Amino acid sequence: MFDLCVVGAGLAGSAAAKHASKFSRVCLVGPDEPNKKCSPDPNRDIYGGHYDEGRIYMQSTSDPVWAKLAQRSIPRYTDIEVESGIDIASEVGCLMIGNRGEDYITAVKDVAKKDRIGAKVLSGTAARSLFPFLSIPEDDEVVFEAQLAGYISPRRLVKAQITIAKKNGCQHVQEVARGISRVVRGDTDMVMEVTTDSGRRILAKKVLVATGAFTAFRNLLGNGVSPDTKLYPLAVTKLEISEEDAKKIRTMPSILYFGRGGKDWTQDFPVDPRTPVVFYMLPPIRYPDGKYYIKLGHSHDSIPKLLHTRQQMKQWFDHGPDARLTRQMADMILSVVQDIKVLSYHGDSCVVDVAPSNRPYIDKIHDQMGIAIGGNGYAAKSSDEIGRLAVELLMNGKWDIELPRSLFHVKLKSGYGTSCSKL
């Protein structure tokens, strides 16, 4: 019997298992990364967005709630690295760029000022003088964070969190959860039972569901119950450059862009209905294959398409974006990053689960079940705090952050109902 079973071994789940393992007996349920994600596996329909080497982190964003979660998580990166022995963060800085005077960049500046983030506000011209290999529109405004900003490896972060959790006694069951239910143990005690695809049954006093975009496709929250989220297919392009070019632009920071774009940028790019050009870009990162890639992804609102079934999710992860979308994003990289030679490029895919509030769900379904999902495309950098908050709420009944708990209440698509069986 475990004190807590965390279902979902991704970014939030691994963080939760790490934090809970400090004071309780914990089991973490979730499969490892597949050996060949790009090769369709008929026997696998569960994947993860953390199968990658680059996610942007910074402390000031346009949303003060996400900013606060990031500010709680980022200073812990060093401790995670020391405890696990695994490097997870590269402090290369981050540029947040947008049209001067418009909503996005104004909100970023307001958060940076209010939260006393050590960021510089620059003109587009000044930012371009710092990074002459970047085509930054002269009329744009830039918030530049040089410290506690850059990119993390989500793959290594998950590995690091699980490594620490195991050191603390956590048991990792590398299987997929099929269902969760309440059962009666003995005459009166009610406990939680997690069943895996192999038929394994795991008993715990409490369960935390951290299964991201896949939550709706298993019987995890109760019969016919699913979280109120929308599932967006998100595409990225990874453009390969030489080691020589990577060294030439080695000072390149991570980039977030919300604006009208540069006059010399490609016009053939998927756009968000609210603003013409939205993307994020990572500097050259050396991937496990030994090659250097610059990665660019578009806004999850850029493509008016949603995923509704497990089969659609599997197809998207197995086959990824089409050739035209991949080329459009490769062209945008070449519009922004100057004088680099393309060796190759390819597309990749993940899925973003978006809640109506645009904030994560960190809540209790009932006294024995908690939930930590709804990354909304922003959660990787903040996953350590999301996992910690979920554990403190479920296990200790505490909410120890200055943000109102109501901001993170879960919304379900149907009435919650549980069934109990005799054990």
Side-chain angles (χ1 to χ4, degrees):
M1 169 75 70
F2 294 95
D3 296 313
L4 174 67
C5 180
V6 179
V7 179
L11 286 157
S14 63
K18 187 269 300 277
H19 285 287
S21 67
K22 295 175 182 178
F23 60 86
S24 57
R25 189 164 182 254
V26 179
C27 177
L28 175 64
V29 178
D32 278 346
E33 180 177 351
N35 291 328
K36 295 182 178 180
K37 175 180 177 291
C38 60
S39 178
D41 180 352
N43 299 316
R44 185 173 183 125
D45 62 357
I46 300 294
Y47 299 94
H50 60 273
Y51 306 157
D52 190 29
E53 291 298 330
R55 291 290 186 278
I56 296 174
Y57 76 93
M58 69 291 180
Q59 294 190 90
S60 53
T61 74
S62 58
D63 185 313
V65 174
W66 280 108
K68 190 62 64 178
L69 293 173
Q71 291 160 22
R72 287 286 196 99
S73 291
I74 291 168
R76 299 184 195 136
Y77 290 173
T78 299
D79 291 339
I80 294 171
E81 291 179 329
V82 171
E83 284 190 69
S84 67
I86 298 170
D87 293 335
I88 64 169
S90 297
E91 193 181 59
V92 297
C94 182
L95 299 176
M96 288 153 279
I97 310 172
N99 299 136
R100 181 181 286 105
E102 296 194 2
D103 290 348
Y104 168 72
I105 201 67
T106 299
V108 173
K109 289 193 298 180
D110 288 346
V111 167
K113 182 178 179 180
K114 179 177 180 295
D115 293 346
R116 298 179 180 179
I117 304 301
K120 295 181 179 179
V121 179
L122 306 170
S123 67
T125 301
R128 193 163 186 168
S129 69
L130 284 178
F131 306 103
F133 48 84
L134 295 178
S135 175
I136 299 173
E138 294 180 357
D139 295 334
D140 281 352
E141 198 165 29
V142 179
V143 175
F144 176 39
E145 288 187 36
Q147 285 80 42
L148 294 176
Y151 65 87
I152 56 172
S153 164
R155 176 184 281 124
R156 294 201 299 272
L157 176 53
V158 168
K159 183 179 179 181
Q161 301 281 41
I162 294 176
T163 296
I164 298 170
K166 285 183 174 180
K167 286 183 178 180
N168 294 335
C170 175
Q171 181 177 334
H172 184 196
V173 176
Q174 297 177 29
E175 297 187 35
V176 174
R178 178 191 302 166
I180 302 173
S181 59
R182 261 178 166 175
V183 299
V184 178
R185 187 172 186 246
D187 293 329
T188 58
D189 291 343
M190 298 181 70
V191 300
M192 303 303 295
E193 180 182 80
V194 177
T195 306
T196 70
D197 278 352
S198 72
R200 182 170 182 169
R201 300 165 69 201
I202 301 166
L203 298 179
K205 296 175 183 177
K206 297 184 178 183
V207 169
L208 176 65
V209 178
T211 43
F214 293 90
T215 306
F217 303 133
R218 301 270 166 158
N219 183 29
L220 302 181
L221 303 182
N223 292 329
V225 177
S226 61
D228 185 4
T229 57
K230 293 180 179 180
L231 306 179
Y232 289 85
L234 185 67
V236 301
T237 288
K238 295 172 182 173
L239 186 144
E240 180 192 357
I241 64 173
S242 67
E243 184 173 0
E244 180 182 359
D245 275 349
K247 289 179 179 178
K248 186 171 66 176
I249 58 173
R250 64 186 179 277
T251 61
M252 178 178 169
S254 298
I255 297 172
L256 290 166
Y257 189 86
F258 286 72
R260 288 186 290 272
K263 296 177 182 178
D264 56 344
W265 291 6
T266 177
Q267 301 302 303
D268 184 21
F269 185 75
V271 297
D272 184 315
R274 298 167 299 180
T275 189
V277 181
V278 178
F279 64 79
Y280 66 92
M281 188 188 301
L282 280 297
I285 299 172
R286 188 173 184 174
Y287 273 69
D289 63 3
K291 298 177 180 179
Y292 287 87
Y293 296 95
I294 298 173
K295 186 180 78 170
L296 180 141
H298 59 83
S299 163
H300 59 252
D301 290 321
S302 299
I303 301 177
K305 175 183 178 182
L306 295 176
L307 303 175
H308 301 284
T309 68
R310 189 167 61 183
Q311 291 72 26
Q312 289 175 343
M313 291 268 283
K314 175 176 172 55
Q315 183 177 16
W316 179 250
F317 273 100
D318 281 344
H319 300 289
D322 61 34
R324 180 173 183 270
L325 179 57
T326 300
R327 179 189 54 78
Q328 288 175 319
M329 292 190 288
D331 288 344
M332 182 57 79
I333 294 173
L334 295 173
S335 292
V336 178
V337 185
Q338 305 291 291
D339 300 323
I340 55 172
K341 181 180 179 181
V342 180
L343 301 183
S344 70
Y345 65 86
H346 66 275
D348 204 350
S349 56
C350 67
V351 175
V352 178
D353 54 330
V354 177
S357 64
N358 209 36
R359 276 75 180 261
Y361 288 145
I362 308 172
D363 203 358
K364 292 197 290 187
I365 303 296
H366 54 72
D367 285 344
Q368 290 180 278
M369 177 183 282
I371 191 167
I373 66 167
N376 296 273
Y378 311 121
K381 64 183 176 296
S382 304
S383 57
D384 192 71
E385 179 65 2
I386 291 170
R388 191 197 68 82
L389 285 170
V391 166
E392 286 297 323
L393 179 63
L394 179 62
M395 301 299 287
N396 300 321
K398 295 180 180 179
W399 186 258
D400 57 358
I401 191 171
E402 56 267 41
L403 300 170
R405 184 183 161 192
S406 60
L407 294 175
F408 305 94
H409 283 172
V410 65
K411 293 184 179 180
L412 302 175
K413 288 185 178 178
S414 61
Y416 184 76
T418 60
S419 59
C420 296
S421 59
K422 187 79 171 181
L423 185 64

